Every structure is written in C-alpha cells, then in structure tokens.
Amino acid sequence: MTYICQMYERKLPVRLECGLHLFMEIMSGKWKINLIWCIHQGINRPGELHRTLPNASRRLLDDQLAQLVAHGMLVKKVFDVKPFKVEYALTPLGQTLIPVIENTARWGESYRSELEEKIQKNPSFRGERS
C-alpha cells in the first residue's frame, strides 16, 4: 500500500484569474525572493545559499528551491561527480523577476524610516503577539 503524505493541504482553490494572483502563487514563501536574488548574484550551490540565509532551515530552502524549479523560475543541474554536486541557475523566465525585485527593494529603501517606525511600534507586523 502506498501512502502519499503532504504537510499542507490547500483549503482554498488556487486563484489564477489575474496576474497578481499568479505572481503571489509563484512567489509565496518567505525565502523565494532571497533565493532568486542570491542565485542572480552567483550564489548557486545549496550549501552556499544556506550559509547566505542562515535564518532559514536547510529543509525549507530545499523545498522552496524545488518549488521554484517546478514553476520554471530555476533550473537544477546535478553533476555526475563524487561528492555529490548540485547548482541552481535562473531560467530566462526567472531572470524577468530581477527588475521586479530591484524595484521592490528601491520602494523599501524609499520608505525605510516610515516603515521601520511602524513596524517597531506594532509588534504584530513582525508576527509577534502583543
């Protein structure tokens, strides 16, 4: 008997009727934007990515890398060598996210002081309970 186990079963259907929903479906995940940016910067091996993003668990990064591969944002290259070697690279579709990430970062920098003040005043913005 085969068991298929999933950690999370989606309770609401995926809404893909507009571009924003498509974007959110592909990019949902705490570390995906960071992973894409790191790979864009030339950090392309799983161990390097984990050292660059030490607050993320290795398993979570591996899961989100696999999702990005499945969605066509990254390509995974497995080398036939020992020790085992894997590298990730952006696909042409994944490359189109770089200007979006750069613009989002610019927006954050433009409103940094205002946003930091609001986040510090309201702990719920950081996912903490008051």
Side-chain angles (χ1 to χ4, degrees):
M1 182 179 281
T2 303
Y3 292 94
I4 298 174
C5 180
Q6 293 181 334
M7 288 181 53
Y8 173 77
E9 183 178 329
R10 187 180 294 273
K11 294 186 179 31
L12 299 173
V14 177
R15 296 179 59 196
L16 304 177
E17 67 272 1
C18 81
L20 184 57
H21 289 130
L22 284 167
F23 177 81
M24 289 174 16
E25 182 64 27
I26 299 300
M27 298 309 296
S28 66
K30 185 172 183 176
W31 300 100
K32 286 182 180 177
I33 290 174
N34 297 77
L35 287 167
I36 289 169
W37 187 254
C38 287
I39 292 166
H40 169 69
Q41 296 293 312
I43 302 166
N44 56 7
R45 306 229 12 236
E48 295 170 338
L49 290 164
H50 188 250
R51 282 189 293 278
T52 304
L53 304 168
N55 292 333
S57 73
R58 181 69 179 259
R59 181 177 175 185
L60 180 59
L61 291 182
D62 288 344
D63 287 347
Q64 292 193 358
L65 286 164
Q67 290 169 18
L68 290 166
V69 169
H71 287 125
M73 302 299 119
L74 300 178
V75 64
K76 178 180 180 178
K77 183 173 183 181
V78 180
F79 294 86
D80 189 22
V81 296
K82 292 191 182 189
F84 186 66
K85 181 179 174 183
V86 172
E87 289 184 355
Y88 291 91
L90 291 172
T91 63
L93 182 58
Q95 284 285 352
T96 66
L97 290 168
I98 299 307
V100 175
I101 294 169
E102 289 172 333
N103 284 331
T104 304
R106 268 195 292 279
W107 179 86
E109 289 301 327
S110 295
Y111 297 99
R112 173 186 288 281
S113 59
E114 181 179 342
L115 294 170
E116 283 180 344
E117 180 181 319
K118 290 180 186 310
I119 290 168
Q120 288 171 354
K121 284 183 181 178
N122 190 342
S124 66
F125 284 179
R126 296 188 305 259
E128 300 171 6
R129 300 193 185 259
S130 40

